[in-house]
Amino acid sequence: MPAPVITPHLTREDSRATYAPGTEFAMDIITMIGNTGTYLDSPFHRYADGPDLAGLDLATLVGLRAEVFHLADAWSAERRGIRPETLADRDVRGAAVLLHTGWDRHFGTPAYGRGAPFLTGEGAQWLIDAGAVLVGIDAVNIDDTAADAGGERPAHTLLLGAGVHVVEHLRNLGALPPTGARFTAAPPAIEGFGTSPVRAFAELP
């Protein structure tokens, strides 16, 4: 993915010619792909007829009950996929399900993009059936992006097809309790756009 490019549109120095003495502004331009940093996928990201960023209900993005699954010991290099049995002991209806794998420790290094844990299609279907409204992960992708995975994206396909939002590249989920927090990840309301960076945060009781 291309890195974001930030350039000035109006510098503070140049703005002084326009405004009263002592008044100055900075205006900048950001050029970036929607999949930058911690970002949210709307159904439109995967499906042409799915709701875009402007079509999302804020009630499914703001102040959600967070169910955090601490899974750092639940997967391995040989078994990277997160399966339903790992998730089946919790009530997730109406919740943001946050998958803490510990992979964010590699963020910003070459290791981050290789061998990451992911949610299996079976795990995604279990979360849909259980009524989750958002699923987030602290890894490079919620699907397996390895070269030998064949380009399939079952977690995206199932979750977004069911109207369940996806948030990727989360960090610091290890600081959250399993239950009790409230999670927010609201993107700008842009029509015809499927993915956007978000300021994802949790409120603790």
Side-chain angles (χ1 to χ4, degrees):
M1 298 293 180
V5 178
I6 301 175
T7 55
H9 170 69
L10 182 68
T11 66
R12 294 186 185 278
E13 293 75 15
D14 289 344
S15 76
R16 294 168 189 163
T18 301
Y19 301 102
T23 303
E24 60 185 43
F25 295 93
M27 299 181 191
D28 299 299
I29 298 170
I30 302 176
T31 303
M32 66 181 179
I33 190 169
N35 303 53
T36 296
T38 300
Y39 60 85
L40 178 138
D41 294 336
S42 72
F44 185 77
H45 175 54
R46 174 66 177 80
Y47 297 99
D49 59 351
D52 57 17
L53 296 175
L56 303 183
D57 183 351
L58 280 177
T60 65
L61 301 165
V62 176
L64 299 173
R65 175 172 61 87
E67 292 293 325
V68 184
F69 288 81
H70 295 289
L71 305 173
D73 297 325
W75 63 274
S76 66
E78 295 74 29
R79 188 178 173 87
R80 295 183 293 118
I82 298 167
R83 302 186 56 78
E85 54 267 28
T86 309
L87 311 169
D89 63 343
R90 303 265 283 280
D91 174 17
V92 301
R93 186 161 301 279
V97 173
L98 306 179
L99 305 175
H100 167 226
T101 70
W103 198 252
D104 60 332
R105 69 186 182 276
H106 297 302
F107 189 82
T109 73
Y112 185 68
R114 299 191 300 268
F118 60 91
L119 181 66
T120 63
E122 294 84 359
Q125 188 61 57
W126 188 91
L127 290 172
I128 292 166
D129 295 341
V133 299
L134 180 150
V135 180
I137 192 167
D138 60 350
V140 66
N141 202 288
I142 203 162
D143 273 301
D144 186 3
T145 60
D148 59 1
E152 295 184 0
R153 297 292 187 269
H156 278 91
T157 297
L158 291 167
L159 292 170
L160 297 178
V164 179
H165 313 316
V166 172
V167 180
E168 294 165 318
H169 298 290
L170 287 165
R171 299 186 69 191
N172 300 320
L173 293 182
L176 299 181
T179 61
R182 291 278 171 180
F183 180 75
T184 293
I190 305 173
E191 294 182 354
F193 216 71
T195 300
S196 173
V198 292
R199 182 66 182 265
F201 63 90
E203 300 170 85
L204 300 177

